[in-house]
Amino acid sequence: MIQLKNLERSYKTAAGQFFVLRRINLDIRQGEFITVMGPSGAGKSSLLNVLALLDDGWQGEYWFRDQAVHDMRRKQRGELAKRNVGMVFQSYHLLDDLTVRENIDLPLSYKDIPHKQRQGMVADTLDRFQIVAKKDLFPSQLSGGQQQLVGVARAVIHKPALLLADEPTGNLHSSQAKEIMELFRDLNQQGTTIVQVTHSDSNAAYGSRTIQLRDGWMVSDTANPELQPYEAIKQ
Amino acid sequence: MNTILTNLRYAFRVLRKSPGFTLVAAVTLALGIASTTAIFSMVDQVLLHSLPYPHSDRIVYVSQTDRPTGEGDATSPANYLDWLAQNRVFSQMAASRGWQGNLGGERPERIRITMASASFFPLFGVRTLLGRSLLPEDESPGHDHVAVISYALWKRRFNADRALLNQDITLNNEKYTIIGVMPPNFAPDNHGELWVPSPWSVPAHPLVPSQDPRQFRSRNYLDVWARLKPGVTLQQARSEMDAIARRLEKQYPDDNRDVAIGVTGMQDSLVSDVRPVLYVLLGAVVFVLLIGCANVANLLLARGKGRSREVSIRAALGASRAGLIWQLLTESVLLALLGGLLGILLAAWGVPVLLTLAPAEIRELGAVGVNTEILVLGLLLSLATGILFGLAPAFHLANENLQESLKEGERGSTGHGGRTRSILVVAEVGLSLILLIGAGLTIKSFVRVLRVDPGFDPTHLLVFSVGLPSSATPAQQDNFYRQVTESFQELPGVQLAGAVSRLPLSGGNSSRSFKVPGNDRGYSADIRVSTPEYFRTMGIPIIRGRFLTAHDIEGSTPVVVVNEALAEGAFPGQDPIGKFLLDFGPGSEKLQIVGVIGNVRHVGLEIAPHYEAYLPFGQAHWPSVFMAVRTRTTDPLALVPAVQNAVWSVDKSVPLSDVRTMHDVVARSLRQRKFTMTLLGIFAGLAVALAAVGLYGVMSYSVVQRTHEIGIRMALGAQQHDVLKMVVQRGMSLAGVGVILGVAASFGLTRLISHLLFGVSPSDPVTFLAVAVLLMSVALFANYIPARRATQVDPMVALRCE
Ligand SMILES: Nc1ncnc2c1ncn2[C@@H]1O[C@H](COP(=O)(O)OP(=O)(O)O)[C@@H](O)[C@H]1O
Ligand SMILES: [Mg+2]
């Protein structure tokens, strides 16, 4: 579904060019559940931002279902993202002024969907995530686990092909985390491709493939045992 | 005291720390305070200041008034003498009348002369600077050739020569002795540069100066002044004079039918024209100031967010609510004083500029710009302003922080402060819309007035005032105008020239009563005496019959040319040519109508033409005229020397005065309207600019505050145009609410300026719509910049800051 070829991301700092992603070659197939791991600052979030099409500052090739993202303009990338990508964040990023219902509706509001149909989709999603009773509450009235549940509901309401989750359970208790992970597994089984970032091995166990990042380099990939060891590349 | 000092010191430091904020806030306030100070200085000096006469609030202007319409008129000598004899409410009464005369010498000059009763100077209670003023002895024939001159004339004409007393001057070819010089600012009748006594203790009629005027009851030409007896109220004076008016009406039904007596405070009578204008402008600047305050309050609220930490630490260390509010108020007051000083400087510079645009009354009534009094007032105003705009933010900050103390920064994008800010911006937009509509209506009125056909063609016309001494016989006068006209026609560059007793739009008017055959009704018409060429010179068209001609002379049938208004009003559906005007004027003349000419706007472009009757110089008498010269040049003033020489070739002692182009005459008649329009325009412009800045500020701030939210939305699929739309929509809905409220308020408020409007309704839909669209476009622009900035939010950065 996605191919990254020699993708690089760097920031210009006072000290010079600072690379956060180096020569990333990654092939993500439809239906995979990938876990990205690595120490803090390794570039995990950066990679997710690139995949999410939020970032435009990289070099290299990015193919999305045979479309050359690297040749696209911002507007096209935005269109592509809003049709295909859903995002879940560590700190939920719900909008405080909107109710649960309105938060879930948000991604739909940026698409040309008839009002009726939108209402239907919101109702279905509330139902599916069993949060109908909470639909008129504000985020501040929910527990962390419930908020993340809403966050996931919001990320998948428009049935994205790719779900990206950056440490989705980082702020949750293990029981809440488990709930979210099982949700991911269900979504994955229903066909959603998932890329999650996590520090937890138990979370990673839900996935089908694990990638390790260090200092911007991809140092291991369970789907590609031949990947050169990190130290060797670094020379 | 100590805390005040500490507060002040701290406030200084805070303002110095953020110079950008301080500058923007101070300039905003300065604009508001400058506008308010400027207009208030005019209001103060023109409307509120007492006139430079002792107990001037006791001086009243008394005049004959038309009972049905309430329109004031001049007073007849016989009525004046009856008022004087019968009233018990005035301690003094005086009468005067203005005219023009020739002051002889090497450079003959036409000056404004007031003939005043001996009671005139004592009534106003101003002592002469030099010599003495007029006394009853001066009123006896043979002793009446004395003159008191104004300070201005003394300086201009006589180099402020102290040896001038008892010297002789030539006035209208007669010798007068100067007996006194008045101090500056003595101008009770707003006319005289030189005062002469009244031979029969009542000023003589200018057209028949050698007749005893005391029996005249149908000739109204006097200004009458009186001083209320101690303890007598204006109301009492009015009811007494009303009783006298009704008595005189019974006694002299012919001359006094429907003649009431108006009694007005002197100040009131002088400022009645400009008062409404100044009040409207004052209202406008108060709006500007309020908008400025709202802006600064908004800035403070925005900045307050950045300061909540500091304030909460102070609170945690035990500062009381009152103490916090005090400290924050000290800052805003200091800021206001800074803006106030800047504003007063701006006003001190701007008011003289504005005064050059002002109608003459405003300057004549002593508007001089910013003085100490106004300075103090401006500073007090700043103080009040500082408290006004500082109060809300101070309370806000103090409250919020005491309640939530050191809790984490607020999360909501539209917290409580956000609402206050939105309300302020809505109010700003609403207020500026009201001003803009006011300005729009006055501009439209001005355009309408400019489009009025004056009834003559002002291009290429040179006009001036000229006259023989009033002692000249009618034949001499007529001859003089004829000769001068002829000598003009020989000048290259001159097409035609004519003379008329009263020039349109030049102030001054005279009317006569008349009747028509077969009808007992009395009419009144403005009277003009003119040469035959006058009509063609001015471009006034003949509608029926003929113009006056050189054959209309003494001895032949007395004729008259009337305007269309008179023809249609007094002879409806008839051909007036050959018909007669009967009982015309005090001489009860019978005049045959020989021509009908087009209507001329005499009093003002916006005032419907009165009935007009034109008599020939050969048969009527007028000792002072305006001459109109139709030139072939676009710069008629270039002909002035030639014209002056042509006059002198006829009579070396005759000066010209008020030399102008007719365009200038028209322009001057529009001066007050233009002044109002310009100032309202300036204030509306300021208001809109400030409101736009306010809107921009609020939206920018809200964009900064919502960066995180915008980032989330972008991550969830919002495209740049979605973000743009969201921000613009919010800003425009604020502006829209402001516009709607402003329009609603305007429907009520524009009624207050309806008297300043012409040819446009106070709720003119076109103006309302145009202004609303204009303001919304400005708002769109003010919103667009922050909205653009919102689209530049980098979701990665926004989402990172957790
Ligand atoms: N806008 C930026 N400017 C400069 N450096 C950045 C920026 N964003 C991220 N980085 C750097 O990129 C590196 C990778 O960051 P990130 O992808 O967030 O790591 P991770 O998610 O693996 O902890 C870090 O060293 C971080 O400091
Ligand atoms: Mg990260």
Side-chain angles (χ1 to χ4, degrees):
Chain A
M1 179 160 90
I2 290 173
Q3 277 139 345
L4 305 183
K5 291 184 184 159
N6 253 328
L7 191 134
E8 297 213 301
R9 176 65 164 114
S10 62
Y11 288 100
K12 287 204 175 55
T13 63
Q17 205 167 23
F18 175 71
F19 281 89
V20 298
L21 291 176
R22 309 221 61 160
R23 294 189 215 157
I24 303 291
N25 289 293
L26 180 61
D27 202 339
I28 300 175
R29 276 179 299 279
Q30 183 85 40
E32 275 192 310
F33 186 162
I34 301 179
T35 304
V36 181
M37 300 186 82
S40 184
K44 307 180 296 290
S45 297
S46 302
L47 178 62
L48 242 55
N49 285 336
V50 171
L51 289 173
L53 299 158
L54 286 176
D55 190 0
D56 291 320
W58 42 266
Q59 279 87 43
E61 289 178 32
Y62 180 161
W63 295 88
F64 193 101
R65 287 190 178 140
D66 301 328
Q67 297 168 10
V69 173
H70 45 273
D71 290 335
M72 289 183 185
R73 304 170 156 278
R74 169 88 296 248
K75 203 168 153 62
Q76 292 165 287
R77 290 179 183 182
E79 287 296 329
L80 193 65
K82 97 176 166 190
R83 256 180 285 118
N84 297 295
V85 182
M87 281 193 96
V88 177
F89 309 93
Q90 177 176 4
S91 48
Y92 331 131
H93 287 328
L94 301 181
L95 295 189
D96 298 315
D97 293 335
L98 303 187
T99 61
V100 165
R101 220 193 68 79
E102 290 163 339
N103 262 292
I104 290 180
D105 184 45
L106 213 52
L108 302 185
S109 70
Y110 297 118
K111 302 177 127 193
D112 291 326
I113 301 175
H115 188 66
K116 253 287 165 29
Q117 191 183 342
R118 234 167 92 177
Q119 275 181 326
M121 291 170 80
V122 172
D124 283 353
T125 309
L126 286 167
D127 214 24
R128 182 147 67 108
F129 288 78
Q130 296 173 352
I131 45 178
V132 179
K134 311 234 159 25
K135 69 179 191 322
D136 292 323
L137 298 182
F138 287 93
S140 56
Q141 295 166 299
L142 302 177
S143 73
Q146 289 167 331
Q147 289 192 45
Q148 192 59 299
L149 205 58
V150 175
V152 177
R154 184 178 68 179
V156 299
I157 184 164
H158 59 300
K159 308 211 165 57
L162 178 65
L163 179 63
L164 300 171
D166 196 346
E167 304 189 38
T169 62
N171 291 352
L172 300 181
H173 308 302
S174 53
S175 65
Q176 295 170 324
K178 190 160 169 269
E179 203 181 325
I180 297 292
M181 279 303 123
E182 282 168 2
L183 196 57
F184 278 12
R185 190 174 52 199
D186 292 349
L187 287 167
N188 181 242
Q189 277 164 4
Q190 286 155 30
T192 308
T193 309
I194 297 179
V195 180
Q196 71 163 346
V197 171
T198 184
H199 291 292
S200 138
D201 289 327
S202 54
N203 283 355
Y206 285 88
S208 55
R209 174 181 172 192
T210 301
I211 290 167
Q212 295 277 350
L213 289 182
R214 285 227 193 342
D215 296 339
W217 297 93
M218 216 170 98
V219 293
S220 83
D221 179 356
T222 51
N224 181 11
E226 276 108 80
L227 194 73
Q228 287 189 27
Y230 167 56
E231 282 72 20
I233 309 166
K234 249 189 130 179
Q235 302 317 307
Chain B
M1 196 64 218
N2 215 348
T3 37
I4 292 182
L5 274 184
T6 317
N7 278 348
L8 260 179
R9 193 153 359 113
Y10 185 72
F12 256 118
R13 214 178 308 152
V14 168
L15 293 186
R16 224 182 27 216
K17 226 168 55 188
S18 41
F21 161 81
T22 306
L23 187 74
V24 171
V27 167
T28 302
L29 285 174
L31 290 174
I33 288 175
S35 313
T36 315
T37 311
I39 294 305
F40 195 79
S41 76
M42 292 186 208
V43 169
D44 177 55
Q45 286 155 13
V46 174
L47 301 185
L48 304 181
H49 246 228
S50 46
L51 297 167
Y53 315 111
H55 304 291
S56 62
D57 54 320
R58 310 292 298 161
I59 307 177
V60 292
Y61 182 75
V62 192
S63 66
Q64 293 188 192
T65 307
D66 182 46
R67 207 189 301 278
T69 63
E71 235 171 83
D73 194 358
T75 299
S76 71
N79 278 343
Y80 161 64
L81 289 171
D82 283 336
W83 297 353
L84 188 62
Q86 295 178 22
N87 90 81
R88 285 155 304 158
V89 288
F90 301 133
S91 56
Q92 283 168 302
M93 283 188 98
S96 74
R97 62 103 169 134
W99 203 250
Q100 297 206 320
N102 296 346
L103 179 59
E106 292 206 352
R107 292 178 286 118
E109 192 180 342
R110 200 150 173 80
I111 59 169
R112 299 190 307 268
I113 299 172
T114 292
M115 182 175 277
S117 62
S119 48
F120 186 82
F121 289 93
L123 190 151
F124 289 107
V126 175
R127 300 187 37 181
T128 50
L129 186 70
L130 289 180
R132 63 171 178 90
S133 62
L134 302 176
L135 295 175
E137 299 84 284
D138 299 321
E139 295 185 331
S140 50
H143 298 274
D144 60 348
H145 275 38
V146 293
V148 175
I149 63 172
S150 74
Y151 184 81
L153 185 65
W154 182 51
K155 283 197 84 166
R156 182 179 84 230
R157 177 79 188 197
F158 303 104
N159 286 324
D161 179 6
R162 292 185 156 264
L164 187 69
L165 282 189
N166 299 322
Q167 289 197 13
D168 287 345
I169 52 168
T170 314
L171 205 57
N172 288 333
N173 290 349
E174 292 174 34
K175 255 198 184 63
Y176 279 73
T177 308
I178 293 182
I179 55 167
V181 177
M182 293 309 291
N185 293 331
F186 179 77
D189 61 340
N190 232 329
H191 176 84
E193 297 173 282
L194 183 147
W195 293 268
V196 296
S198 313
W200 291 273
S201 69
V202 178
H205 192 284
L207 293 185
V208 281
S210 52
Q211 277 181 41
D212 180 349
R214 283 174 290 186
Q215 299 305 316
F216 295 165
R217 204 176 289 276
S218 63
R219 294 172 184 264
N220 310 339
Y221 62 91
L222 294 180
D223 283 323
V224 177
W225 318 86
R227 201 174 256 283
L228 295 170
K229 269 187 189 158
V232 173
T233 65
L234 192 62
Q235 215 41 55
Q236 286 167 326
R238 282 187 178 142
S239 57
E240 163 124 345
M241 293 314 283
D242 191 52
I244 293 175
R246 290 184 193 275
R247 206 151 60 219
L248 291 176
E249 184 171 2
K250 271 210 195 88
Q251 217 171 335
Y252 308 102
D254 272 357
D255 293 323
N256 278 355
R257 187 151 54 131
D258 280 338
V259 173
I261 303 174
V263 182
T264 332
M266 180 175 178
Q267 173 120 17
D268 264 10
S269 74
L270 288 176
V271 301
S272 57
D273 271 0
V274 294
R275 185 204 314 269
V277 170
L278 286 179
Y279 280 155
V280 166
L281 291 177
L282 193 61
V285 292
V286 168
F287 278 17
V288 174
L289 185 62
L290 283 178
I291 294 173
C293 284
N295 257 355
V296 178
N298 260 344
L299 281 173
L300 283 174
L301 277 170
R303 209 171 61 125
K305 293 284 186 280
R307 291 185 62 190
S308 8
R309 243 195 110 59
E310 172 214 325
V311 173
S312 42
I313 291 170
R314 280 170 181 273
L317 292 178
S320 71
R321 207 173 97 104
L324 280 177
I325 291 174
W326 256 123
Q327 197 233 303
L328 293 166
L329 271 186
T330 309
E331 267 177 59
S332 55
V333 165
L334 189 66
L335 192 61
L337 287 178
L338 204 67
L341 277 178
L342 211 61
I344 291 168
L345 282 180
L346 192 62
W349 168 82
V351 172
V353 177
L354 290 184
L355 283 179
T356 60
L357 301 173
E361 290 98 313
I362 288 183
R363 271 164 299 145
E364 276 160 11
L365 288 169
V368 292
V370 177
N371 54 20
T372 344
E373 223 167 293
I374 296 296
L375 186 104
V376 171
L377 192 112
L379 287 177
L380 285 179
L381 189 69
S382 318
L383 209 68
T385 315
I387 294 172
L388 179 71
F389 70 69
L391 222 45
F395 264 95
H396 221 280
L397 211 53
N399 274 348
E400 186 175 279
N401 283 283
L402 287 176
Q403 283 157 14
E404 306 186 11
S405 224
L406 288 162
K407 232 165 83 182
E408 261 312 291
E410 90 200 275
R411 275 201 233 104
S413 53
T414 47
H416 192 178
R419 195 163 328 128
T420 314
R421 291 166 59 78
S422 303
I423 291 172
L424 286 173
V425 154
V426 165
E428 287 182 42
V429 172
L431 289 175
S432 62
L433 181 99
I434 295 171
L435 279 191
L436 210 53
I437 285 182
L441 290 173
T442 51
I443 290 170
K444 192 161 176 185
S445 299
F446 192 74
V447 171
R448 284 278 152 89
V449 172
L450 286 183
R451 284 212 206 118
V452 167
D453 175 10
F456 57 85
D457 171 14
T459 51
H460 303 310
L461 276 180
L462 180 71
V463 297
F464 55 88
S465 152
V466 70
L468 285 181
S470 36
S471 55
T473 64
Q476 284 171 323
Q477 310 259 7
D478 187 28
N479 208 26
F480 173 71
Y481 303 138
R482 197 173 302 225
Q483 280 178 294
V484 169
T485 311
E486 276 162 17
S487 69
F488 285 167
Q489 255 135 26
E490 281 156 27
L491 293 178
V494 170
Q495 230 176 327
L496 268 173
V500 71
S501 56
R502 299 269 186 199
L503 192 71
L505 307 178
S506 303
N509 205 353
S510 307
S511 63
R512 296 283 182 270
S513 56
F514 70 91
K515 291 188 172 153
V516 298
N519 185 345
D520 213 26
R521 221 196 107 181
Y523 296 91
S524 165
D526 291 353
I527 181 181
R528 319 273 174 252
V529 184
S530 82
T531 62
E533 301 82 8
Y534 172 69
F535 305 98
R536 261 187 296 264
T537 307
M538 291 291 282
I540 302 170
I542 187 95
I543 311 282
R544 308 182 72 95
R546 65 168 172 87
F547 286 132
L548 299 171
T549 69
H551 305 295
D552 298 319
I553 50 170
E554 214 171 349
S556 66
T557 318
V559 296
V560 64
V561 165
V562 300
N563 70 348
E564 266 187 298
L566 191 153
E568 282 163 11
F571 301 94
Q574 308 166 43
D575 181 359
I577 304 295
K579 299 243 164 51
F580 290 92
L581 300 185
L582 306 178
D583 268 352
F584 188 87
S588 284
E589 291 151 88
K590 180 182 178 189
L591 307 173
Q592 186 169 32
I593 299 173
V594 294
V596 178
I597 56 154
N599 290 332
V600 167
R601 303 263 165 164
H602 184 89
V603 183
L605 284 180
E606 57 265 68
I607 296 185
H610 296 181
Y611 292 179
E612 274 187 323
Y614 290 80
L615 278 60
F617 273 109
Q619 298 171 343
H621 173 46
W622 209 271
S624 166
V625 294
F626 288 93
M627 301 209 80
V629 180
R630 180 159 294 280
T631 68
R632 293 197 171 85
T633 142
T634 46
D635 177 21
L637 289 175
L639 282 173
V640 171
V643 163
Q644 172 78 74
N645 283 329
V647 173
W648 282 341
S649 72
V650 179
D651 186 332
K652 189 72 191 139
S653 74
V654 174
L656 311 187
S657 70
D658 294 326
V659 185
R660 290 175 207 163
T661 64
M662 196 63 202
H663 268 309
D664 186 36
V665 170
V666 175
R668 273 178 206 229
S669 79
L670 294 174
R671 204 164 170 146
Q672 177 162 327
R673 186 170 284 285
K674 196 168 176 181
F675 178 70
T676 315
M677 176 187 75
T678 310
L679 260 64
L680 265 186
I682 291 175
F683 296 141
L686 269 183
V688 172
L690 289 180
V693 168
L695 192 58
Y696 168 83
V698 165
M699 292 321 290
S700 301
Y701 178 72
S702 117
V703 164
V704 171
Q705 256 200 325
R706 295 173 75 187
T707 309
H708 183 64
E709 178 200 334
I710 292 167
I712 296 172
R713 287 177 181 271
M714 287 178 130
L716 293 176
Q719 301 280 57
Q720 289 193 344
H721 65 90
D722 293 315
V723 173
L724 193 77
K725 206 170 88 187
M726 176 178 82
V727 175
V728 167
Q729 244 170 17
R730 181 171 147 68
M732 291 310 277
S733 64
L734 287 183
V737 173
V739 164
I740 289 168
L741 293 179
V743 164
S746 296
F747 272 114
L749 286 172
T750 51
R751 248 157 266 287
L752 298 178
I753 59 163
S754 56
H755 57 279
L756 301 179
L757 304 182
F758 173 77
V760 47
S761 134
S763 45
D764 180 48
V766 176
T767 308
F768 272 58
L769 196 70
V771 163
V773 169
L774 175 70
L775 198 57
M776 286 305 267
S777 325
V778 173
L780 189 63
F781 184 70
N783 274 320
Y784 183 73
I785 304 168
R788 268 309 298 241
R789 207 171 304 141
T791 65
Q792 306 303 312
V793 165
D794 182 347
M796 292 189 302
V797 175
L799 295 178
R800 176 177 286 274
C801 46
E802 286 172 23

